[in-house]
Amino acid sequence: MCSNERFMYQMRHYGDSKFDEETLEFMEKLLERSGLGDSTYGPPALLREPPEPSLEAARSEAEMVVFGAIDELLAKTKIKSDQIGILVVNCCIFSVVPSLSSMIVNRYKFKDNILSYNLTGMGCSAGLRAIGLSSQLLQVHRDTYVLVVSTENMTQNFYVGNDRPKNLVCSAFRVGGAAVLLSNVASDRRSSKYKLLHTVHTHMASRDSSYNCIFQEEDDKGNLGISVTRDLVISAENAIQSNIKRLAPLVLPLSEQIYYAINNYVTKHLHLANSKPYKPNFTRAVDHFFPHLGAKFLLDELQKKMGFSDEQMEAARMTLYRYGNTSSSTVWYEMAYAEAKGRIKKGHVLWQISFGSGFKCSSVVWRAIKNVDTEKMNPWSDEIDGFPVDLSNINSSYPFKFEHS
């Protein structure tokens, strides 16, 4: 476990302090406003004294997280490794030879003709993009199981320098991962939790500002890190608007679509002075909302724009508090939270949305096939009664000067 106090201790003593005092103060301020609690998990190699960010340690972290998730998934579903026909793995900034997908095939002795895909460099939205890819593959391959594995690995990719835009990324990232099983085997309908309804993906990289807003590069001293520019907020808003514009007709009730169409026509063609853009009411279309954003102040902004209730945002805020930003697996911790609370009932519609470098936005919509009861192998099971916790004392203003609307 990595409390905020322990994190800052490690930063102050990292390699005889590679960070100046201003950077340390900035990181501390960011942690205070991010909404992370004191029970998140850090990479073992970075919590040692001194830290040992070796390739061996990075591979060990990946094995610990990925194998642990897959072991529990196979135990839950009773599926044997030789039944899995497709494997999709995503991890953004850790690329190793042999690949992570090969590491999994080797460990579980998957069959020789398994279709294997290893997605890298796609940011926090890659987990839902992996679901989209799996959905396409299942249209082609009949009676097939797809194993989707989403994780991130910071052991060798933690930025150690004083370039402020690069310090933003590392402070909130923590260890985590998820394994998901999809099936198009007809007999599995009775035992499955959810039916996949829609996957919608937006990629704004044709715009230079979106392409450059999250960028891996070296600083002037040769330290590798991921920069976040002031274009991030507007790039994210453009990606969200584009994604929602395509998602809305698929999920919104007809009345909301009609209101939106009329308002769009009035504002675009009649130019009435008092007309304002109509924001579709997604609370009428979905029962559960699982957004991935890496800090409380960003979740607060999203809630204002989308109109979701505190309860609908609860899973996201509690996941951030308990597990931190686990990148592409965050939305699965959120779904597990709602499951552990016993809130997902038959027929409920669930919306996951995540964002990543590029700039990309992905939405995945599910419908619950049955009431989803609390399970023993759920990351929240042993402590769910202690949630939600009160986060009202956390300052949710931006700890940096970004121009945003």
mmCIF file of all heavy atoms in Angstrom, residues 259-290:
data_model
loop_
_atom_site.group_PDB
_atom_site.id
_atom_site.type_symbol
_atom_site.label_atom_id
_atom_site.label_comp_id
_atom_site.label_asym_id
_atom_site.label_seq_id
_atom_site.Cartn_x
_atom_site.Cartn_y
_atom_site.Cartn_z
ATOM 1 N N TYR A 259 -36.025 16.576 -28.904
ATOM 2 C CA TYR A 259 -35.652 17.860 -28.312
ATOM 3 C C TYR A 259 -34.294 18.311 -28.831
ATOM 4 O O TYR A 259 -34.088 19.484 -29.161
ATOM 5 C CB TYR A 259 -35.599 17.754 -26.789
ATOM 6 C CG TYR A 259 -36.942 17.611 -26.125
ATOM 7 C CD1 TYR A 259 -37.091 16.806 -24.993
ATOM 8 C CD2 TYR A 259 -38.068 18.281 -26.604
ATOM 9 C CE1 TYR A 259 -38.322 16.659 -24.365
ATOM 10 C CE2 TYR A 259 -39.296 18.141 -25.990
ATOM 11 C CZ TYR A 259 -39.418 17.324 -24.871
ATOM 12 O OH TYR A 259 -40.634 17.183 -24.259
ATOM 13 N N TYR A 260 -33.363 17.389 -28.884
ATOM 14 C CA TYR A 260 -32.007 17.720 -29.323
ATOM 15 C C TYR A 260 -32.012 18.165 -30.787
ATOM 16 O O TYR A 260 -31.366 19.147 -31.153
ATOM 17 C CB TYR A 260 -31.081 16.525 -29.130
ATOM 18 C CG TYR A 260 -29.678 16.762 -29.634
ATOM 19 C CD1 TYR A 260 -28.775 17.516 -28.891
ATOM 20 C CD2 TYR A 260 -29.248 16.249 -30.852
ATOM 21 C CE1 TYR A 260 -27.494 17.754 -29.349
ATOM 22 C CE2 TYR A 260 -27.969 16.480 -31.320
ATOM 23 C CZ TYR A 260 -27.089 17.233 -30.561
ATOM 24 O OH TYR A 260 -25.829 17.464 -31.017
ATOM 25 N N ALA A 261 -32.750 17.440 -31.638
ATOM 26 C CA ALA A 261 -32.789 17.756 -33.067
ATOM 27 C C ALA A 261 -33.406 19.131 -33.310
ATOM 28 O O ALA A 261 -32.903 19.927 -34.118
ATOM 29 C CB ALA A 261 -33.572 16.684 -33.818
ATOM 30 N N ILE A 262 -34.506 19.418 -32.593
ATOM 31 C CA ILE A 262 -35.166 20.714 -32.759
ATOM 32 C C ILE A 262 -34.241 21.848 -32.308
ATOM 33 O O ILE A 262 -34.083 22.861 -32.990
ATOM 34 C CB ILE A 262 -36.495 20.756 -31.976
ATOM 35 C CG1 ILE A 262 -37.500 19.778 -32.600
ATOM 36 C CG2 ILE A 262 -37.063 22.175 -31.933
ATOM 37 C CD1 ILE A 262 -38.783 19.638 -31.813
ATOM 38 N N ASN A 263 -33.642 21.678 -31.141
ATOM 39 C CA ASN A 263 -32.741 22.704 -30.612
ATOM 40 C C ASN A 263 -31.545 22.918 -31.531
ATOM 41 O O ASN A 263 -31.126 24.053 -31.765
ATOM 42 C CB ASN A 263 -32.273 22.307 -29.213
ATOM 43 C CG ASN A 263 -31.284 23.292 -28.622
ATOM 44 O OD1 ASN A 263 -30.076 23.118 -28.747
ATOM 45 N ND2 ASN A 263 -31.801 24.347 -27.999
ATOM 46 N N ASN A 264 -31.021 21.845 -32.065
ATOM 47 C CA ASN A 264 -29.873 21.936 -32.964
ATOM 48 C C ASN A 264 -30.239 22.732 -34.222
ATOM 49 O O ASN A 264 -29.455 23.557 -34.699
ATOM 50 C CB ASN A 264 -29.381 20.535 -33.330
ATOM 51 C CG ASN A 264 -28.041 20.564 -34.027
ATOM 52 O OD1 ASN A 264 -27.105 21.209 -33.558
ATOM 53 N ND2 ASN A 264 -27.932 19.860 -35.139
ATOM 54 N N TYR A 265 -31.432 22.482 -34.737
ATOM 55 C CA TYR A 265 -31.882 23.196 -35.936
ATOM 56 C C TYR A 265 -32.067 24.685 -35.623
ATOM 57 O O TYR A 265 -31.642 25.564 -36.394
ATOM 58 C CB TYR A 265 -33.197 22.612 -36.446
ATOM 59 C CG TYR A 265 -33.730 23.325 -37.664
ATOM 60 C CD1 TYR A 265 -33.265 23.005 -38.943
ATOM 61 C CD2 TYR A 265 -34.693 24.333 -37.538
ATOM 62 C CE1 TYR A 265 -33.740 23.672 -40.060
ATOM 63 C CE2 TYR A 265 -35.172 25.003 -38.655
ATOM 64 C CZ TYR A 265 -34.686 24.670 -39.910
ATOM 65 O OH TYR A 265 -35.158 25.344 -41.003
ATOM 66 N N VAL A 266 -32.697 24.982 -34.478
ATOM 67 C CA VAL A 266 -32.973 26.375 -34.108
ATOM 68 C C VAL A 266 -31.684 27.153 -33.920
ATOM 69 O O VAL A 266 -31.532 28.269 -34.427
ATOM 70 C CB VAL A 266 -33.825 26.428 -32.819
ATOM 71 C CG1 VAL A 266 -33.876 27.843 -32.256
ATOM 72 C CG2 VAL A 266 -35.234 25.927 -33.098
ATOM 73 N N THR A 267 -30.730 26.577 -33.175
ATOM 74 C CA THR A 267 -29.492 27.300 -32.888
ATOM 75 C C THR A 267 -28.618 27.463 -34.124
ATOM 76 O O THR A 267 -27.913 28.459 -34.262
ATOM 77 C CB THR A 267 -28.690 26.577 -31.797
ATOM 78 O OG1 THR A 267 -28.484 25.203 -32.189
ATOM 79 C CG2 THR A 267 -29.416 26.610 -30.472
ATOM 80 N N LYS A 268 -28.679 26.498 -35.054
ATOM 81 C CA LYS A 268 -27.809 26.553 -36.226
ATOM 82 C C LYS A 268 -28.392 27.382 -37.358
ATOM 83 O O LYS A 268 -27.670 28.111 -38.053
ATOM 84 C CB LYS A 268 -27.522 25.140 -36.736
ATOM 85 C CG LYS A 268 -26.399 24.438 -35.985
ATOM 86 C CD LYS A 268 -26.018 23.161 -36.699
ATOM 87 C CE LYS A 268 -24.787 22.517 -36.041
ATOM 88 N NZ LYS A 268 -24.362 21.304 -36.755
ATOM 89 N N HIS A 269 -29.717 27.293 -37.554
ATOM 90 C CA HIS A 269 -30.313 27.876 -38.757
ATOM 91 C C HIS A 269 -31.156 29.124 -38.499
ATOM 92 O O HIS A 269 -31.237 30.008 -39.355
ATOM 93 C CB HIS A 269 -31.168 26.831 -39.474
ATOM 94 C CG HIS A 269 -30.389 25.624 -39.890
ATOM 95 N ND1 HIS A 269 -29.502 25.627 -40.945
ATOM 96 C CD2 HIS A 269 -30.338 24.355 -39.366
ATOM 97 C CE1 HIS A 269 -28.955 24.421 -41.081
ATOM 98 N NE2 HIS A 269 -29.438 23.643 -40.127
ATOM 99 N N LEU A 270 -31.787 29.215 -37.324
ATOM 100 C CA LEU A 270 -32.643 30.372 -37.068
ATOM 101 C C LEU A 270 -31.918 31.470 -36.302
ATOM 102 O O LEU A 270 -32.377 32.615 -36.274
ATOM 103 C CB LEU A 270 -33.889 29.929 -36.279
ATOM 104 C CG LEU A 270 -34.766 28.878 -36.988
ATOM 105 C CD1 LEU A 270 -36.020 28.599 -36.166
ATOM 106 C CD2 LEU A 270 -35.133 29.331 -38.397
ATOM 107 N N HIS A 271 -30.825 31.110 -35.641
ATOM 108 C CA HIS A 271 -29.974 32.086 -34.948
ATOM 109 C C HIS A 271 -30.759 32.953 -33.972
ATOM 110 O O HIS A 271 -30.607 34.179 -33.940
ATOM 111 C CB HIS A 271 -29.252 33.000 -35.963
ATOM 112 C CG HIS A 271 -28.485 32.237 -36.998
ATOM 113 N ND1 HIS A 271 -27.350 31.497 -36.700
ATOM 114 C CD2 HIS A 271 -28.699 32.076 -38.330
ATOM 115 C CE1 HIS A 271 -26.893 30.934 -37.799
ATOM 116 N NE2 HIS A 271 -27.690 31.257 -38.808
ATOM 117 N N LEU A 272 -31.592 32.304 -33.168
ATOM 118 C CA LEU A 272 -32.357 33.049 -32.171
ATOM 119 C C LEU A 272 -31.449 33.463 -31.026
ATOM 120 O O LEU A 272 -30.660 32.673 -30.512
ATOM 121 C CB LEU A 272 -33.518 32.195 -31.649
ATOM 122 C CG LEU A 272 -34.567 31.795 -32.690
ATOM 123 C CD1 LEU A 272 -35.671 30.976 -32.038
ATOM 124 C CD2 LEU A 272 -35.146 33.024 -33.380
ATOM 125 N N ALA A 273 -31.572 34.688 -30.596
ATOM 126 C CA ALA A 273 -30.634 35.245 -29.618
ATOM 127 C C ALA A 273 -30.685 34.519 -28.283
ATOM 128 O O ALA A 273 -29.660 34.360 -27.615
ATOM 129 C CB ALA A 273 -30.932 36.733 -29.416
ATOM 130 N N ASN A 274 -31.877 34.103 -27.867
ATOM 131 C CA ASN A 274 -32.029 33.514 -26.532
ATOM 132 C C ASN A 274 -31.893 31.993 -26.513
ATOM 133 O O ASN A 274 -32.022 31.383 -25.461
ATOM 134 C CB ASN A 274 -33.387 33.901 -25.941
ATOM 135 C CG ASN A 274 -33.490 35.394 -25.708
ATOM 136 O OD1 ASN A 274 -32.490 36.036 -25.385
ATOM 137 N ND2 ASN A 274 -34.687 35.945 -25.874
ATOM 138 N N SER A 275 -31.688 31.387 -27.669
ATOM 139 C CA SER A 275 -31.622 29.923 -27.711
ATOM 140 C C SER A 275 -30.260 29.442 -27.217
ATOM 141 O O SER A 275 -29.226 30.013 -27.524
ATOM 142 C CB SER A 275 -31.851 29.420 -29.133
ATOM 143 O OG SER A 275 -30.840 29.885 -29.984
ATOM 144 N N LYS A 276 -30.305 28.410 -26.400
ATOM 145 C CA LYS A 276 -29.084 27.799 -25.876
ATOM 146 C C LYS A 276 -29.023 26.342 -26.316
ATOM 147 O O LYS A 276 -30.064 25.695 -26.493
ATOM 148 C CB LYS A 276 -29.061 27.871 -24.349
ATOM 149 C CG LYS A 276 -28.989 29.285 -23.799
ATOM 150 C CD LYS A 276 -28.940 29.265 -22.276
ATOM 151 C CE LYS A 276 -28.847 30.681 -21.730
ATOM 152 N NZ LYS A 276 -28.803 30.684 -20.235
ATOM 153 N N PRO A 277 -27.818 25.807 -26.518
ATOM 154 C CA PRO A 277 -27.711 24.396 -26.911
ATOM 155 C C PRO A 277 -28.377 23.495 -25.872
ATOM 156 O O PRO A 277 -28.212 23.691 -24.665
ATOM 157 C CB PRO A 277 -26.196 24.164 -26.959
ATOM 158 C CG PRO A 277 -25.601 25.513 -27.150
ATOM 159 C CD PRO A 277 -26.503 26.461 -26.429
ATOM 160 N N TYR A 278 -29.147 22.534 -26.355
ATOM 161 C CA TYR A 278 -29.826 21.594 -25.452
ATOM 162 C C TYR A 278 -28.888 20.450 -25.105
ATOM 163 O O TYR A 278 -28.301 19.824 -25.984
ATOM 164 C CB TYR A 278 -31.087 21.050 -26.118
ATOM 165 C CG TYR A 278 -31.794 20.002 -25.282
ATOM 166 C CD1 TYR A 278 -32.494 20.366 -24.133
ATOM 167 C CD2 TYR A 278 -31.744 18.656 -25.632
ATOM 168 C CE1 TYR A 278 -33.145 19.418 -23.361
ATOM 169 C CE2 TYR A 278 -32.391 17.705 -24.861
ATOM 170 C CZ TYR A 278 -33.088 18.088 -23.732
ATOM 171 O OH TYR A 278 -33.714 17.144 -22.969
ATOM 172 N N LYS A 279 -28.734 20.215 -23.814
ATOM 173 C CA LYS A 279 -27.893 19.112 -23.359
ATOM 174 C C LYS A 279 -28.773 17.892 -23.111
ATOM 175 O O LYS A 279 -29.650 17.921 -22.243
ATOM 176 C CB LYS A 279 -27.147 19.496 -22.085
ATOM 177 C CG LYS A 279 -26.111 20.581 -22.278
ATOM 178 C CD LYS A 279 -25.168 20.686 -21.082
ATOM 179 C CE LYS A 279 -25.898 21.094 -19.835
ATOM 180 N NZ LYS A 279 -24.944 21.335 -18.720
ATOM 181 N N PRO A 280 -28.572 16.813 -23.866
ATOM 182 C CA PRO A 280 -29.392 15.619 -23.672
ATOM 183 C C PRO A 280 -29.297 15.106 -22.243
ATOM 184 O O PRO A 280 -28.235 15.158 -21.617
ATOM 185 C CB PRO A 280 -28.782 14.611 -24.660
ATOM 186 C CG PRO A 280 -28.084 15.443 -25.681
ATOM 187 C CD PRO A 280 -27.590 16.650 -24.950
ATOM 188 N N ASN A 281 -30.412 14.623 -21.719
ATOM 189 C CA ASN A 281 -30.471 14.108 -20.355
ATOM 190 C C ASN A 281 -30.158 12.604 -20.370
ATOM 191 O O ASN A 281 -31.052 11.776 -20.532
ATOM 192 C CB ASN A 281 -31.849 14.375 -19.761
ATOM 193 C CG ASN A 281 -31.941 13.936 -18.314
ATOM 194 O OD1 ASN A 281 -30.951 13.488 -17.720
ATOM 195 N ND2 ASN A 281 -33.115 14.056 -17.732
ATOM 196 N N PHE A 282 -28.878 12.272 -20.178
ATOM 197 C CA PHE A 282 -28.477 10.873 -20.218
ATOM 198 C C PHE A 282 -28.943 10.093 -18.997
ATOM 199 O O PHE A 282 -28.922 8.858 -19.002
ATOM 200 C CB PHE A 282 -26.958 10.755 -20.364
ATOM 201 C CG PHE A 282 -26.469 10.928 -21.770
ATOM 202 C CD1 PHE A 282 -26.117 12.175 -22.247
ATOM 203 C CD2 PHE A 282 -26.383 9.846 -22.636
ATOM 204 C CE1 PHE A 282 -25.673 12.346 -23.548
ATOM 205 C CE2 PHE A 282 -25.952 9.998 -23.933
ATOM 206 C CZ PHE A 282 -25.587 11.256 -24.398
ATOM 207 N N THR A 283 -29.369 10.788 -17.946
ATOM 208 C CA THR A 283 -29.885 10.070 -16.783
ATOM 209 C C THR A 283 -31.180 9.332 -17.107
ATOM 210 O O THR A 283 -31.585 8.428 -16.375
ATOM 211 C CB THR A 283 -30.126 11.038 -15.606
ATOM 212 O OG1 THR A 283 -31.111 12.016 -15.976
ATOM 213 C CG2 THR A 283 -28.834 11.748 -15.222
ATOM 214 N N ARG A 284 -31.833 9.719 -18.196
ATOM 215 C CA ARG A 284 -33.039 9.015 -18.638
ATOM 216 C C ARG A 284 -32.715 7.776 -19.453
ATOM 217 O O ARG A 284 -33.601 6.970 -19.747
ATOM 218 C CB ARG A 284 -33.918 9.955 -19.478
ATOM 219 C CG ARG A 284 -34.465 11.165 -18.711
ATOM 220 C CD ARG A 284 -35.434 11.937 -19.577
ATOM 221 N NE ARG A 284 -36.576 11.108 -19.984
ATOM 222 C CZ ARG A 284 -37.456 11.444 -20.917
ATOM 223 N NH1 ARG A 284 -37.307 12.606 -21.565
ATOM 224 N NH2 ARG A 284 -38.447 10.650 -21.231
ATOM 225 N N ALA A 285 -31.445 7.629 -19.814
ATOM 226 C CA ALA A 285 -31.063 6.524 -20.693
ATOM 227 C C ALA A 285 -30.218 5.467 -20.005
ATOM 228 O O ALA A 285 -30.230 4.300 -20.409
ATOM 229 C CB ALA A 285 -30.299 7.062 -21.907
ATOM 230 N N VAL A 286 -29.463 5.856 -18.979
ATOM 231 C CA VAL A 286 -28.570 4.900 -18.321
ATOM 232 C C VAL A 286 -28.812 4.914 -16.819
ATOM 233 O O VAL A 286 -29.189 5.924 -16.238
ATOM 234 C CB VAL A 286 -27.088 5.210 -18.618
ATOM 235 C CG1 VAL A 286 -26.805 5.138 -20.108
ATOM 236 C CG2 VAL A 286 -26.682 6.562 -18.070
ATOM 237 N N ASP A 287 -28.591 3.750 -16.199
ATOM 238 C CA ASP A 287 -28.786 3.615 -14.755
ATOM 239 C C ASP A 287 -27.485 3.768 -13.980
ATOM 240 O O ASP A 287 -27.500 4.153 -12.811
ATOM 241 C CB ASP A 287 -29.407 2.243 -14.451
ATOM 242 C CG ASP A 287 -30.730 2.040 -15.149
ATOM 243 O OD1 ASP A 287 -31.723 2.629 -14.703
ATOM 244 O OD2 ASP A 287 -30.766 1.297 -16.158
ATOM 245 N N HIS A 288 -26.365 3.452 -14.633
ATOM 246 C CA HIS A 288 -25.061 3.520 -13.961
ATOM 247 C C HIS A 288 -24.048 4.165 -14.902
ATOM 248 O O HIS A 288 -24.000 3.837 -16.087
ATOM 249 C CB HIS A 288 -24.583 2.126 -13.558
ATOM 250 C CG HIS A 288 -25.551 1.388 -12.684
ATOM 251 N ND1 HIS A 288 -25.620 1.581 -11.324
ATOM 252 C CD2 HIS A 288 -26.502 0.468 -12.997
ATOM 253 C CE1 HIS A 288 -26.569 0.804 -10.817
ATOM 254 N NE2 HIS A 288 -27.122 0.121 -11.815
ATOM 255 N N PHE A 289 -23.250 5.065 -14.347
ATOM 256 C CA PHE A 289 -22.285 5.837 -15.122
ATOM 257 C C PHE A 289 -20.896 5.625 -14.533
ATOM 258 O O PHE A 289 -20.672 5.873 -13.348
ATOM 259 C CB PHE A 289 -22.669 7.319 -15.072
ATOM 260 C CG PHE A 289 -21.773 8.227 -15.870
ATOM 261 C CD1 PHE A 289 -21.479 7.957 -17.201
ATOM 262 C CD2 PHE A 289 -21.243 9.382 -15.296
ATOM 263 C CE1 PHE A 289 -20.664 8.813 -17.939
ATOM 264 C CE2 PHE A 289 -20.441 10.233 -16.027
ATOM 265 C CZ PHE A 289 -20.151 9.953 -17.354
ATOM 266 N N PHE A 290 -19.959 5.121 -15.376
ATOM 267 C CA PHE A 290 -18.614 4.814 -14.906
ATOM 268 C C PHE A 290 -17.582 5.545 -15.769
ATOM 269 O O PHE A 290 -17.083 5.000 -16.755
ATOM 270 C CB PHE A 290 -18.355 3.303 -14.956
ATOM 271 C CG PHE A 290 -19.365 2.486 -14.193
ATOM 272 C CD1 PHE A 290 -20.059 1.455 -14.817
ATOM 273 C CD2 PHE A 290 -19.635 2.744 -12.863
ATOM 274 C CE1 PHE A 290 -20.983 0.696 -14.131
ATOM 275 C CE2 PHE A 290 -20.568 1.994 -12.147
ATOM 276 C CZ PHE A 290 -21.252 0.967 -12.786
#
